[in-house]
Structures are given as C-alpha cells and as structure tokens.
C-alpha cells in the first residue's frame, strides 16, 4: 500500500524530518510505483545508492511524451504534490533531456544550499540563452554562471539589493502605488454603485495590476514614468506586457527540447518565443537610448559618475554613472530585470487581493496595523513599512501558498546525502516550493491564510529558515527581490488604507503554470471605498 505521502508522514515513526540523511520507510512498488519496503534509514549504516531513489519512470522521452499527452505542464505543481504523496519526500524525474532530484523538506533544502559553492548554479533556461546567442546579445546575470556571473552580480547588488539602494528607489515605488490608488478610486466612483458617498465596484483588477507593475518597474529601472494610468495607455506598453506573457508561456514547453533543432526546422513555438524576446529587447533598447540621451544632455556630454545633480536617475542611470559595467552588459541585465518584473509582481498581487478579500478578519488586522504605522510615519514609506510587519507577512504568506516559480534549483558542488541517498556533485536538485508550502509536515494548518505565522516562534521552530524561498536563497537569490517585495507591500498598504476588499466567490482558485504559477481565471474583487 502507498505511504499516503506527505500528509501521512507525521503519523509514521520510521521517518525523521529533522536531519537530512534519514530515509522513508514505506511499502511502495519499484518502477511504476516507487521503492519497496526497504531498510530504514541508517539501520545497517549504509547510505543508499542514487539509483535507488524512487522515480517516476526511467525514460525521459517517454515521460515527456506522457506529460504532453496529459497536458501535465500546465499543472506541474499538482503533479509534484501527487508524486510526493505517492513516493515520499524525495524522488527522481527525467523529462526529455533534463534530470532532477526533487525534494520538499526544509532540512534537505538547507543541506543543498550549504553545498552550493561560491558560484551557485540554477537550471539554465536554454531557450533564453539560445535567443541571446543567435541574436548576438550579451547575457545578464540570470543566464550567466561562474566568475562572470559573480562580477556582474556584485555590481548589480549595489543598485538593487543594498539597503542604501532601497532607500533611493522606495519613494518612486510609493509614488506609483499612490497614483494607482487614485486611478482605482476614480474608477470606483465613476462605475461603482451603492448610493450617495458609498461606492463599490466588482471587477477583474488584473489588467490594471499589470500596468501598475510595468509603470513601477520603469520608474525604478529607467527613472521615468511612462503614463500607464492615463485613460488611454500606450499601445507600445500593452505590446510589452503581451510579449512578456508570450515569452513566459512558450518557455516551459521549450525547456525540454533542443532549441537549435527547433530553430532549424522553423517550429512555430520557437518563432513565437524568439519574436516575443525581440519585442522585449526593442522596448528596453528604446528606453535605454532615451535614458542615455537624458543623462548625456543633463551633463553636457558623456555620463560621468555622480553628475546627475542629486536626482535619482533609476537603476539604469546609477549603473551608467558608475561605469563599472559595459553598456552591453547594462542593457542585458536591465532587459532581464524588466522582463522578470511585470508578471512576477502583478500575479501575486491578484492572489493577495483575493486572499485578503475572502479573509475579512485577517484583512482588518493588517489594515489596523497599516493605519497606525502610516499615521506615525509622517509620509515616510520606509518607516510605514517597518511599522507594519503584517504587510511583509502577507506577501510571504501569498508566496508560500502561490509561489511565482514553483521550484528553486541548485547543483551541489560536492557529494551530499539526502534522505539517506547519495547525491553526486553536479546533480540538479529542485526544492519544490508549491507542495512544500502546502505540506502539514512543514506548516501548521497549511491551507489557512495567516500572515501572522511569519512573526511567530511556533513556526520558526518547524524546520528553520528554509521555508520561505519564493525569491530563492543566498548569492543567487532573485536580483529584483527588494524591488518586488517593496512594490507589492506599498501597493497593498495604499489599497488597504483606501478600500475594503471582498470577493463575490470565496471558492479556491484553480491555478496553472506557464513558467510562473497563475490563476486559470483572474479573480474578481469588490473594492468598496472606505
């Protein structure tokens, strides 16, 4: 019989979750079903061979065929959850040319991160890399590895990750968040019903959230507003959002196939992917040229360090002024930041508005804290956020239940042992964030939306620090993390100050995976003016 997987682990004495290197005692069949009842961890002092890790089928190409036939890519997160339920906390999967070891427990994940080395590697998105190569574009930090990655990353960190940089760009994000709420208020008053002075409007906010994310990204990265909250936003910007969505949706199926072969045979999937990237690059190129001319003219010539008269010129301006990265490398990294900064904040904001809307008690607690903090902060967005830890908890909780990327990958630089199985150096190991976030072994009452859990000692004792990994971990964590976290928190803060949120339907949202997790149908939200 099956172990019953993740949900049953707590009732099994043969399994210990606190130390990497223990093994699941189960009664699973080998091959199609997994591993037979075997030696329990450490009984005979033997570490088990890599080949003995339960797996989902040996042939990567047959597995890939099955995935396509059963449309599993769209529900990859659910497939992972079911597989952990069936096979236990570690399993191997071969898909096309890609092989991985998948894990779910924070203790095992910690073991992997401690073995990532000075130049951590994650899975290369080969379709993206191939596009850069055939178009002769430089690669940014997302696609680089080794010393070249580290050199670029250290320069970028100064402008996007350090607390001094956050202080510089926070007012720009705050300005966009306030403008968004003014636009939302005008829309609610214009289109909403509910009698004199009491306005509410039920709508799908996702198109507006995509515009917000692009406006906020442009303001921070290029130092300029692009006017997406006007009554007629530019066609160019709408096309950019469309291109990012097309690029993300075509990445996933291309990951498991050789891109150069598809290029040679002119496969429509590859053509769509490359065309989307071309559009993203041309959008970035135009913005970069504008910013370059603006900087040059304000300084009467070539950009020089610190010569922008004290005004913050955005991440792009800072990088140009410092002159530590070539213009080609700046372009590569800024384009990646832009492409990665729209859907990855707009979509979690949809989930956040939905969860706050269907949990009115939680919403009220967060609002009370936000109000008190905002009143004390005297208009300083940094102080306002620091005084409202529940806002940070809300974003962490949303990304626990709905992680943007459903896995984080690393290639250990030395041999390690996970669940008493030998993992050779250089193996791709994936921490599976969606099933981990919903596992009762890792989180107390995992399906409950509870931002306060992130400030409580009861949760901190449940597996340590490797439970909130939506932005990755360590030197290779998401380079846009500080922009995204603050962008989401500030928008939620201003929405909660101005509106009460509710939902016409509180049924769980069906989710799907392109390259990122998103709702199958965007949730409708009721905004009621406070």
């Amino acid at each position: 019989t099956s172990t019953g997987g993740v949900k049953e682990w707590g009732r099994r004495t043969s399994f210990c979750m606190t130390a990497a290197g223990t093994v699941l005692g189960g009664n699973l069949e080998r091959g199609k079903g997994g591993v037979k009842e075997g030696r329990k961890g450490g009984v005979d002092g033997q570490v088990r061979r890599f080949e003995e890790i339960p797996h989902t089928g040996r042939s990567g190409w047959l597995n890939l065929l099955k995935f396509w036939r059963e449309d599993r890519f769209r529900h990859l997160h659910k497939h992972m959850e079911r597989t952990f339920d069936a096979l236990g906390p570690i399993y191997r999967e071969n898909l096309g040319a890609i092989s991985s070891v998948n894990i779910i427990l924070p203790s095992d994940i910690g073991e992997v991160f401690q073995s990532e080395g000075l130049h951590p590697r994650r899975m290369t998105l080969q379709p993206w890399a191939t596009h850069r190569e055939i178009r002769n574009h430089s690669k940014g930090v997302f696609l680089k590895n080794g010393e070249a990655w580290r050199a670029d990353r250290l320069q970028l960190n100064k402008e996007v990750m350090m607390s001094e940089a956050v202080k510089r760009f926070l007012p720009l994000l705050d300005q966009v968040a306030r403008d968004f709420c003014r636009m939302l208020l005008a829309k609610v008053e214009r289109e909403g019903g509910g009698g004199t002075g009491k306005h509410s409007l039920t709508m799908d906010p996702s198109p507006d959230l995509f515009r917000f994310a692009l406006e906020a990204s442009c303001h921070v990265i290029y130092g300029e507003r692009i006017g997406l909250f006007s009554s007629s936003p530019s066609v160019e910007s709408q096309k950019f959002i469309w291109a990012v969505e097309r690029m993300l949706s075509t990445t996933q199926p291309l990951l498991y196939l050789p891109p150069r072969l598809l290029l040679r045979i002119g496969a429509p999937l590859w053509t769509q992917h490359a065309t989307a990237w071309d559009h993203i690059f041309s959008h970035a190129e135009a913005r970069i040229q504008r910013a370059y001319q603006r900087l040059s003219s304000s300084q009467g010539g070539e950009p020089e360090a610190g010569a922008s008269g004290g005004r913050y010129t955005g991440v792009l301006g800072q990088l140009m002024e410092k002159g530590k990265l070539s213009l080609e490398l700046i372009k590569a990294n800024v384009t990646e930041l832009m492409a990665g900064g729209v859907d990855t904040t707009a979509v979690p904001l949809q989930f956040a508005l939905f969860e706050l809307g269907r949990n009115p008690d939680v919403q009220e607690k967060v609002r009370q804290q936000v109000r008190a903090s905002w009143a004390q902060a005297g208009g300083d967005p940094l102080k306002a956020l620091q005084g409202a830890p529940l806002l940070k908890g809300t974003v962490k909780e949303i990304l626990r239940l709905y992680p943007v990327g459903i896995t984080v990958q690393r290639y250990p630089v030395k041999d390690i042992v996970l669940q008493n199985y030998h993992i050779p150096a250089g193996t791709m190991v994936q921490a599976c964030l969606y099933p981990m976030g919903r596992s009762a072994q890792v989180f107390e009452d995992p399906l409950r939306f509870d931002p306060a859990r992130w400030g409580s000692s009861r949760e901190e004792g449940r597996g340590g620090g490797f439970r909130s990994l939506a932005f990755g971990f360590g030197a290779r964590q998401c380079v846009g993390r500080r922009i995204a976290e603050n962008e989401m928190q500030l928008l939620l803060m201003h929405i909660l100050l101005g509106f009460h949120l509710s939902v016409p339907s509180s049924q769980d949202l069906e989710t799907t995976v392109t390259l990122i997790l998103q709702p199958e149908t965007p949730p409708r939200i009721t905004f009621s003016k406070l």
Side-chain angles (χ1 to χ4, degrees), residues 24-161:
L24 176 73
N27 184 15
L28 292 161
E29 293 165 20
R30 177 169 288 292
K32 294 189 179 155
V35 297
K36 288 179 181 166
E37 172 81 26
R39 296 167 299 215
K40 299 198 171 58
V43 169
D44 55 6
Q46 293 286 309
V47 170
R48 302 176 75 171
R49 292 179 304 119
F50 178 79
E51 291 73 23
E52 294 181 79
I53 299 172
H55 60 81
T56 57
R58 292 191 190 282
S59 167
W61 300 108
L62 282 177
N63 287 348
L64 188 60
L65 199 61
K66 191 191 288 183
F67 260 66
W68 268 326
R69 245 198 340 248
E70 297 172 9
D71 199 18
R72 266 193 220 174
F73 283 115
R74 289 179 59 245
H75 301 106
L76 189 57
H77 54 313
K78 300 286 190 185
H79 161 78
M80 288 173 172
E81 203 170 36
R82 284 193 302 272
T83 309
F84 283 118
D85 279 357
L87 301 184
I90 184 169
Y91 70 89
R92 282 190 295 134
E93 185 139 73
N94 297 322
L95 272 182
I98 293 176
S99 299
S100 65
V101 169
N102 293 354
I103 56 175
I104 191 177
L105 294 177
S107 48
D108 291 342
I109 294 166
E111 191 83 8
V112 172
F113 281 129
Q114 282 152 27
S115 314
E116 67 178 7
L118 185 63
H119 305 126
R121 275 176 64 211
R122 58 179 168 214
M123 184 171 80
T124 299
L125 295 180
Q126 202 50 55
W128 297 19
T130 301
H131 173 266
R132 304 304 186 272
E133 288 154 16
I134 63 172
R135 294 288 193 264
N136 290 319
H137 291 312
S138 294
K139 291 174 183 171
V141 291
F142 195 83
L143 293 170
K144 278 186 171 172
N145 285 304
E147 196 47 60
W149 161 79
R150 188 174 173 78
D152 286 11
R153 179 70 196 233
L154 291 174
Q155 294 306 321
L156 280 175
N157 281 352
K158 291 173 190 169
E159 304 310 331
V160 293
M161 292 294 280

Side-chain angles (χ1 to χ4, degrees), residues 37 86 173 204 224 228 246 249 262 341 354 358 372 487:
E37 172 81 26
L173 291 175
D204 164 14
E224 67 170 2
L228 283 178
R246 175 60 57 94
S249 66
L262 298 177
F354 171 75
R358 75 166 176 170
E487 190 180 316

